[in-house]
Amino acid sequence: MAEAKKIKAYEIGELDHYLFGQGNHYEIYKKLGSHKVKDGDTEGVYFAVWAPNAKAVSVIGEFNNWDETANEMERGEPLGIYTCFIPDVPENAMYKYSIETYSGARISKADPFANYAEMRPGTASRVTDLSRITWSDSAWMAQRKNWDHKEQPMSVYEAHIGSWKKHDDGTPDGFYNYREFAREAVKYIKDMGYTHIELMGIAEHPFDGSWGYQVTGYFAPTSRYGTPEDFAWMINYFHKNKIGVILDWVPAHFPKDAHGLADFDGTPVFEYADPRKGEHPDWGTKVFDFGKNEVRNFLISNALFWIEEFHVDGLRVDAVASILYLDYGRKDGEWVANEYGGNKNLEAIGFFKHLNSVVLGRNPGALMIAEESTAWPKVTGAVEDDGLGFSLKWNMGWMHDFTEYMKLDPYFRKGAHYNMTFAMSYAYSEHYILVLSHDEVVHLKCSMLNKMPGLGFDKYANLKVGYAFMMGHSGKKLLFMGQEFAQLREWSEARELDWFLLAEDEHVQIQNWVRDLLHLYKRNKAMYEQDNSWDGFEWVNADDKDRSIYSFIRHSKNGKKNLLFVCNFTPMARDDYRVGVPRRKQYKLVLNSDDVKYGGKGEERPLVYKAEKKECDGRPYSFAYKLPPYGVAIFEF
C-alpha cells in the first residue's frame, strides 16, 4: 500500500476534500482562499481555489506582473481544488485567478474566499491576514452564550453605513469609515435606546445601487469603509458598548459580474446549470445550486465565518421565500417542479435546516432571522419538528396590514379596523420581529411620515400613534434609519440622511417620542419577556372600530409592572373616554403623547388614575381619561 503524502498543516489534504465534498467542512474558509503561511523559513501565501471544471488555473497579481504563466496551480482530486504557495507576497497585494476553461477561453476571477477586496470599481482580491485582529469583547461574548432572544428586549436600528452620515470634505463618496461610523452610531443608538444595529450590505459588492444585495465577495467586508481590521474594530466597539450587531446575509442570489461567482470556471459551479432553476428572471441574477454539497458548504461556512471570526451576533437572511419556492418570480414554463411535482425546493429546505442547526448549535445566543414573506409553516419551528430552525421571522404580514391602515384617511379607518388586530390571531405561530425596514421607504413608497394622511400636525400625530402601537404589539422591533425623526424624503444610498431636519421642532418631537418609547420598552419586562405567549398580551378592546381606538395590556411574568396602552387613530378628541381594567388598582400614566416635548398641547392631567367599580369593555372596573386627538396613553399598574 502506497504511503500517503505528508502534507503541511495549511495545505489542502484528503480530509479537506472529503469533508468539503460531504458538505461538512464548516471552517473551509481557513483552507480555501489566500492565507499567509510559513513554509520552513520562507514566508509567503498559500492560495487555494475550487474550480472543478477548469483545464488549468494560475494566480495572477501585482507580485508577478499579472503573468498567467508565473504561478501555475496544482490540481487536487477528487474535487478539483487548485493550490500553490508563492513566497514573499506582500500584505494587501492584489490578485485574481486566471482560469483556462475547457473551451480554451481565459477568464479572470476574484477569489470567492478572499477576506478583502480592491475598492470598487476595481475587482481584484487582496491578500490580508485576519490572525492579526485583536478582540476585547470577551465579556459580551461570554454573556451572549446565555442570551435568550425569546425573553430579552430586542429593538433594532437598521442602518446603511454609506448613507447614514457623509463627510462634506470633497472626497468622491464622503463615506465614514467603519471606525468613524462606530463611534458616531454608538452615541446615537445608546441615546435613542436601541439594543441592536442591523447593517445592510456589508459583504463585498460591485454596485452601490444594489445596497449590498448582489454580492461578489462573501467572505470580505466591503472595502468602501476600510479594512477587515477596521470592520472588526467596529464590531468590537459596538459590543463594548453593549450593542448587538446583525448583518444582512444574501444566500438567495448573486450577480453575473465577470469577476464574480457566475460561471466560475467557465461552467455553472456555484449556480444551478438549468436556467429555469439557476436564474432569477426578475433580478437578472444567478441562484445557488442547493443540490451541491460544496455549494451548501460554501454558504454554511460563510455564515459561521461572520459569527465566529467576526463576532457578529446574528444574520438576517434575505429573500428566504425566493429560495424556498421553485416558481418564485417565474411564469409557467419558466420553472422546474420538484420530484413530487410541487413548487417547493426540497434541496433548499434541507439547506436551511442544516444551516440553522449548525450555526445556532455551535453559537448559543446567536440569531438567524428569516426575511420570509409567505405563510410557509414553522419557519422558526424546531428542525426536529420539521421546522426550518430560524430564531426569528420578519412579520411581513403585520407590516403590510399596518402600513395599509396607516395610509388611510382616519374617516375610513373604521372599515379597515381589523387590519390592526389580525396579526394577533397568528402572533404566536412563529417567533416574530415587527419591521418597518428600508424596503418600505424606497421606490416611490414614500418615507414613513409621507405615508401618513393629512397635512402638518396630522401627519406627525399619525406617525406617533402608529409607532406607539408597534412598540406595544407582541414581537421584537425594527425601524429603518431616518424614520425615527420623520425623514421627509425617501431613502437614497447616494446621500446622507436629512439630519438638518432636526433643526425643526416637529422632527425633534418625533425623535423624542421614539426615544422615550424605546427606553420604556427596554426597561419594562412586560413589553418583551412574554413575547411568545398570550400570557404576555391581552386585548382590552379590539373592536372599537367606530372610534378607531385600540386598548390592550402587556403583562410581565410576575405581574408587578404591567402596561395598559390606549391608542386613538382619529383626530377626534374623546373627553369622555373610559377604559375597562382588570383590577381595582391605581394606574400611573407613564407616557402621554399630549406632552409638549412630543408636539402635544401639554394640557395638565393627573398622573395617577384610580379604577372604580364601573363596568366598561366587559370588565367590572374602569377609569376615565381625557383622550386627545391621535392620543396615546400608556399606564403602568
Side-chain angles (χ1 to χ4, degrees), residues 262-304:
D263 294 313
F264 186 75
D265 60 8
T267 68
V269 174
F270 289 92
E271 67 269 41
Y272 285 109
D274 187 334
R276 293 173 300 169
K277 289 180 79 175
E279 297 207 17
H280 269 304
D282 288 349
W283 301 337
T285 51
K286 296 285 190 179
V287 180
F288 283 106
D289 183 346
F290 296 102
K292 273 186 192 167
N293 288 343
E294 297 91 341
V295 173
R296 292 197 303 270
N297 198 152
F298 172 81
L299 291 167
I300 292 170
S301 69
N302 183 241
L304 289 166

Side-chain angles (χ1 to χ4, degrees), residues 32-70:
L32 291 176
S34 62
H35 299 280
K36 290 213 159 194
V37 298
K38 206 165 183 181
D39 185 6
D41 294 329
T42 307
E43 292 188 350
V45 173
Y46 186 73
F47 294 89
V49 63
W50 178 52
N53 302 310
K55 191 173 181 183
V57 184
S58 59
V59 182
I60 55 175
E62 293 179 304
F63 41 84
N64 63 13
N65 294 315
W66 305 92
D67 180 356
E68 294 167 354
T69 63

